[in-house]
């Protein structure tokens, strides 16, 4: 299990202590020492294994946030000491690392949960029991529900149900009712299945369901059944390379003439390049970052997105992704929550619940004691892949 630590400590000038009377030295030292203590922040990432392409971007987003915040004084007046562990895309390693962050590293807040919903789902009850605030940058709604059992757990991403509602809005425009959802068997994929069973009937959709393993290299049986059933639109839900297999085999069966939609977990330029011309007709439900420059100037996220994209590319020599934005937002939300409670990290969860209409990078966040997921379907757009980049296809 790989890990990293970056420490930033604010020192108290000796002259300030020498100048005080003996009766006040102890009190001043105690207060100054607390102010000098770093804020211990931990993260679980997967920078190796199948989810590594997400993990590297999430790690970069957190690195950028930590450095920017420390340059501006840290969080709550304390410089950040950041420790992360590589879960290697494995839930058990993510659990072990979470326990180590809490018991050995004594972190006060955890940002990001292994860039896989299954890992974050396993982390949530551990962090909640320890009363360590956890801001997940993973997707499944079950990470933060039921809220009564997740009082210290929050999410910096959209909910699957909201993404499916946004897709349903688009299908309504196109007068499409017969839909197939093909989802992988991970926590991310099956979370979407559970939400579609709520959204589909509510929106009058006739939905058939198929599944595949994240490591599958052949989906012809599932796609043949979908073709024979006459589905007008096919929604694929995965963050794995199997999504490329879906596109290529759908093209072989002529299904690319239907409406093909990938979820926000597949918004990756690398995947689009691997799919080649099989991605030509694809739509993706996405956060706004990949098309930030194409948003109307009135969009409340545009200025922040463009600023992050510029800083990220200057630092890492590659374009920012939605995954970098999600982890950056986790840090941004923690900082905002601490502002709400005067820097008292023991009240960070209360601060999170007070955040209203806060423009981050992924969307406009509003939390409450009843809702620990802060985004909505208004934060989702539909994009396509043309001319080597993502382009805005449906804004509202």
């Amino acid at each position: 299990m790989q890990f990293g630590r970056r420490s930033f400590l604010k020192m108290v000038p000796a002259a300030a202590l020498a100048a005080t009377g003996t009766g006040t030295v102890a009190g001043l030292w105690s207060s100054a020492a607390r102010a000098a203590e770093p804020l211990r922040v931990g993260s679980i990432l997967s920078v190796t294994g199948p989810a590594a392409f997400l993990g590297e971007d999430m790690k970069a987003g957190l690195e950028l946030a930590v450095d920017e915040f420390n340059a501006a004084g840290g969080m709550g007046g304390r410089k950040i000491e950041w420790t992360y562990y590589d879960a290697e895309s494995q839930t058990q390693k993510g659990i072990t690392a979470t326990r180590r962050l809490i018991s050995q590293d004594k972190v006060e807040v955890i940002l990001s949960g292994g860039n896989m919903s299954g890992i974050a789902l396993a982390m949530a009850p551990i962090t909640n029991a320890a009363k360590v605030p956890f801001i997940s940058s993973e997707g499944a709604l079950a990470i933060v529900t039921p809220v009564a059992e997740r009082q210290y757990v929050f999410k910096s991403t959209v909910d699957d149900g909201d993404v499916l509602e946004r897709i349903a809005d688009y299908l309504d425009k196109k007068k499409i009712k017969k839909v197939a959802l093909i989802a992988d068997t991970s926590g991310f994929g099956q979370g979407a299945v559970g939400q579609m069973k709520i959204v589909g009937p509510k929106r009058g959709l006739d939905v058939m369901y198929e599944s595949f393993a994240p490591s599958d290299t052949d989906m012809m049986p599932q796609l043949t059944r979908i073709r024979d059933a006459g589905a007008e639109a096919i929604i694929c839900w995965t963050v794995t390379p199997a999504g490329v297999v879906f596109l290529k085999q759908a093209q072989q069966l002529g299904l690319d003439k239907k409406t093909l939609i990938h979820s926000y977990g597949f918004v990756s330029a690398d995947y689009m390049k691997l799919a080649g011309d099989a991605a030509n007709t694809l739509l993706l439900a996405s956060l706004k970052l990949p098309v930030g420059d194409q948003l109307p100037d009135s969009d409340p996220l545009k200025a922040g997105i463009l600023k992050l994209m510029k800083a990220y590319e200057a630092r890492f020599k590659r374009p920012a992704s939605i995954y970098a934005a999600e982890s950056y937002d986790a840090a941004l939300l923690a900082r905002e929550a601490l502002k709400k409670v005067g820097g008292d990290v023991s009240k960070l969860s209360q601060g999170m619940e007070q955040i209203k209409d806060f423009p981050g990078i992924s969307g406009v966040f509003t939390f409450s004691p009843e809702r620990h997921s802060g985004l909505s379907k208004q934060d989702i757009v539909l994009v396509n892949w043309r001319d080597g980049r993502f382009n805005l296809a449906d804004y509202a």
Side-chain angles (χ1 to χ4, degrees):
M1 189 186 305
Q2 300 175 13
F3 71 95
R5 172 175 290 162
R6 306 176 73 184
S7 301
F8 301 85
L9 304 178
K10 186 196 294 182
M11 303 306 294
V12 181
L17 296 174
T20 64
T22 56
T24 60
V25 169
L28 177 57
W29 173 256
S30 175
S31 174
R34 283 196 299 272
E37 273 190 28
L39 178 67
R40 297 182 300 278
V41 175
S43 296
I44 305 298
L45 300 162
S46 289
V47 294
T48 57
F53 85 100
L54 303 177
E56 283 294 344
D57 283 353
M58 286 187 170
K59 176 174 172 283
L62 285 166
E63 279 185 16
L64 187 63
V66 167
D67 287 351
E68 286 182 356
F69 295 177
N70 276 333
M75 287 187 191
R78 297 163 65 188
K79 292 294 183 77
I80 302 162
E81 178 185 278
W82 178 45
T83 302
Y84 69 89
Y85 292 101
D86 178 14
E88 301 174 32
S89 307
Q90 298 179 44
T91 299
Q92 188 55 53
K93 289 191 176 182
I95 291 171
T96 300
T98 302
R99 289 178 174 146
R100 181 171 176 176
L101 282 176
I102 294 168
S103 64
Q104 295 185 35
D105 300 306
K106 308 294 184 184
V107 298
E108 298 165 88
V109 59
I110 294 176
L111 308 177
S112 291
N115 41 286
M116 296 178 71
S117 288
I119 295 176
L121 283 163
M123 291 171 59
I126 299 169
T127 61
N128 201 72
K131 298 183 179 180
V132 174
F134 170 32
I135 305 176
S136 168
S137 50
E138 291 66 39
L141 179 59
I143 295 166
V144 294
T145 57
V147 171
E149 299 173 12
R150 299 286 191 272
Q151 294 171 303
Y152 293 86
V153 185
F154 299 83
K155 196 154 73 72
S156 65
T157 52
V158 287
D159 295 338
D160 296 339
D162 288 333
V163 178
L164 289 166
E165 286 278 7
R166 179 65 178 85
I167 291 172
D169 288 345
Y170 178 80
L171 297 177
D172 279 349
K173 289 182 185 179
K174 300 300 179 181
K175 303 189 185 310
I176 292 173
K177 291 296 181 184
K178 197 170 181 62
V179 178
L181 174 63
I182 180 167
D184 72 27
T185 53
S186 72
F188 180 64
Q190 293 310 295
V193 171
Q195 289 301 305
M196 180 58 106
K197 289 180 178 178
I198 298 169
V199 172
K202 183 170 67 172
R203 300 300 296 268
L205 298 174
D206 178 8
V207 186
M208 71 174 293
Y209 297 91
E210 292 285 351
S211 65
F212 59 93
S215 58
D216 276 358
T217 58
D218 182 15
M219 297 183 202
M220 278 296 187
Q222 298 98 313
L223 290 171
T224 299
R225 287 193 291 270
I226 289 171
R227 181 197 63 189
D228 293 347
E232 302 167 274
I234 309 168
I235 304 166
C236 185
W237 214 274
T238 189
V239 299
T240 71
V244 174
V245 176
F246 160 77
L247 288 173
K248 290 189 172 183
Q249 293 190 334
Q251 183 185 49
Q252 290 171 29
L253 290 174
L255 291 172
D256 56 333
K257 297 177 178 62
K258 306 288 186 179
T259 298
L260 300 184
I261 301 176
H262 254 298
S263 77
Y264 62 103
F266 208 72
V267 183
S268 161
D270 289 341
Y271 280 161
M272 297 302 101
K273 292 169 185 174
L274 284 172
D277 61 6
N280 286 349
T281 63
L282 177 67
L283 291 171
L284 303 100
S286 176
L287 299 172
K288 295 177 180 178
L289 181 136
V291 293
D293 59 329
Q294 297 178 3
L295 297 173
D297 290 341
S298 59
D299 191 288
L301 303 182
K302 184 171 184 175
I305 287 173
L306 294 180
K307 180 180 178 183
L308 175 69
M309 291 174 76
K310 182 178 180 181
Y312 189 96
E313 189 146 13
R315 170 79 174 268
F316 300 105
K317 313 304 179 189
R318 64 180 189 267
S321 72
I322 64 170
Y323 313 111
E326 287 166 352
S327 62
Y328 186 94
D329 272 335
L332 201 63
L333 289 167
R335 185 176 69 170
E336 182 67 13
L338 283 174
K339 288 179 184 177
K340 299 283 186 185
V341 293
D344 186 347
V345 72
S346 71
K347 297 179 180 178
L348 188 145
S349 293
Q350 295 165 248
M352 287 290 296
E353 293 177 345
Q354 295 172 30
I355 292 175
K356 311 290 181 192
D357 299 319
F358 175 69
I361 306 300
S362 302
V364 178
F365 291 92
T366 293
F367 295 89
S368 73
E370 297 75 35
R371 192 167 191 266
H372 283 192
S373 182
L375 298 179
S376 70
K377 72 175 183 178
Q378 281 71 38
D379 297 305
I380 294 291
V381 293
L382 291 179
V383 303
N384 59 30
W385 178 258
R386 299 283 188 279
D387 303 318
R389 62 158 292 169
F390 290 108
N391 297 277
L392 187 61
D394 189 75
Y395 180 71

